[in-house]
Amino acid sequence: MSMKTNKILLYTLLALPALLMQSCLKDQEDIFDKPASQRMSEYLQGAQEALVSAPYGWSFDYYPEENQSYGGFTYTIGFSNDADTVRFENNPDDGQLVSLYKMKSDDGPVLSFDTYNSFLHKYATPTDGKYQAEKGDFEFVIDSVGSDIIKVHGKKTGNTLYLRKLTEPAAQYMQKVVDMGDSFFPSEADLTIGGKPYQLVFTDLTNRQADIYDNGTYLTTTAYNFTDKGLRFYQPLSLNGVSVQDFTYDDDKLTLSADGVETSKFTVSPSVVASIFGDMLSGYNGKTVTKTIPHLDQFNVTCDASWVHISKSGNKLTVKVDATTDTKTIRKANIVFKNGDYKDSVNVSQYELSALLGSYKLKFKGASESASLGYEEAADGSQNLYLTVQGEYATLKFPLIYLSGSQSLLMQSGQLIGTASTNSGATYSLGNVFIYGGGSYWSSYRDNFFDLLSIEPGDKGGVNISLQGALLYTPDGSSLQSTGMTVEEIFIEAFESYPFTSSNLLGYLERWTSPVLVKTASAPAKGGVSTGNVAGSREYKMRAINPVRRSYFDFAPYRMESAKQFKLK
């Protein structure tokens, strides 16, 4: 056989799979009497007709993040031909929101909520420095359409989710879901499933996670969401031959039940009970607080201080704090809620601002500086509260906000806290900057960040004030809401001029890591440390600050005058 013949045979063999593939594709296409695009269009139309036809709309069990680590949440969604009407269990008082949706072909038939809806996009919209948000979906591939249930999966997460046809008005159904979530706070439940004992331990009530044990042996972890009757696991679990997913919860009897499932013991969580009562603040005249605590009879409530008195009557818990004549110290106590092997506690604090005023040592990593907390009289006669620190290069005056209602101290970022001059005659304005989020973010030149200082009793009746507090931001003009992040460091930065901007930032003079104020002596409410500048006393070295750090918060700025009226959420 010649070389030319060999080449012809080789090319023929190489071409044969392609010829066979074309033949197969043609045969496959011949199976259907309509083109694929037409079939997809008709499927989407049928799915939309099913969505629109439900008179009360649909409940939607939604799980963000591919491992369901945030738990499940319930929505109700009503559909018209182009709009969706949405309710969300986490915002029951906000009623319903209307937005647009789309049925489209994209990796299969897709239900896309592609116009912004703050309910539906909550877990998919980046906020507070989370550039991936909670890794939620707003586009869902339609897997199957039934008369009462539609199965979908998240386009990003792959999570299997269900829309279930409602048999009552959406507002009525959602209220039942909200009430169920409000009444459900267990630590664990002992269940009998198919005649065999299991333990259901609720490890995270916020993110709705539960572990399942077989006679003390760990089996699995599952996320869950609330329904109008109880709770529903993310997916069915087979336990002792019984498929378990939906439970009915009876709050009066404290039972979880389903086909083949009974409750032998239900333990109410002390953590939730502690959060219901909350930390208690008292002035020197004393205070009495009474709150209704569900299932209070399950708990042993104690306190470690003789000046705090506890009494129970049914589900009402009363805590009384005695008055005191010692107005120079602060007192703290712990109230402990115990239920079986589980316990949690809240703090009782008794002090007023007068106990906080005085001289301090500001201690931070590697150094300490002298400081004082006191009032100074302004030109208009008003009294302003300042933390004054004798820094390495200048005297620093931090204006503070005292919220009498919560007995809290706030430090605002981006404030003019002093000036510094060099031997060369150059003078710079000084401002404070917060570093937070594991060192990933900084407040830059902005003045809309607030550090909630932590106040604790010190040695021999003294006071410790940590500046490493919870970072707060201003979502509106009247309240402050915690971001859940912590201030790790405070930088004293130099700017060419005031007000501060990104263009006139030069670098930082001092860096305080984990700063804490330790009280050394008391002081009168009026009068403070002199705040003169350090002019030409020494040369200082400007340090460059990492320009990569940037904040994701971008709210409108607030000056101290408006901040005085803030309330903490």
Side-chain angles (χ1 to χ4, degrees), residues 491-520:
F491 280 68
I492 310 305
E493 296 194 332
F495 295 81
E496 288 183 303
S497 60
Y498 183 82
F500 305 141
T501 66
S502 58
S503 61
N504 65 14
L505 171 61
L506 298 176
Y508 73 92
L509 297 184
E510 295 192 40
R511 176 180 183 177
W512 301 345
T513 302
S514 303
V516 177
L517 290 164
V518 179
K519 192 173 185 182
T520 58

Side-chain angles (χ1 to χ4, degrees), residues 96-108:
Q96 61 188 26
L97 295 180
V98 178
S99 56
L100 302 179
Y101 75 97
K102 185 184 299 181
M103 310 293 290
K104 65 180 184 179
S105 174
D106 184 7
D107 294 333

Side-chain angles (χ1 to χ4, degrees), residues 470-485:
L471 185 68
L472 302 170
Y473 67 94
T474 53
D476 55 53
S478 62
S479 63
L480 293 171
Q481 181 173 329
S482 175
T483 65
M485 287 185 277

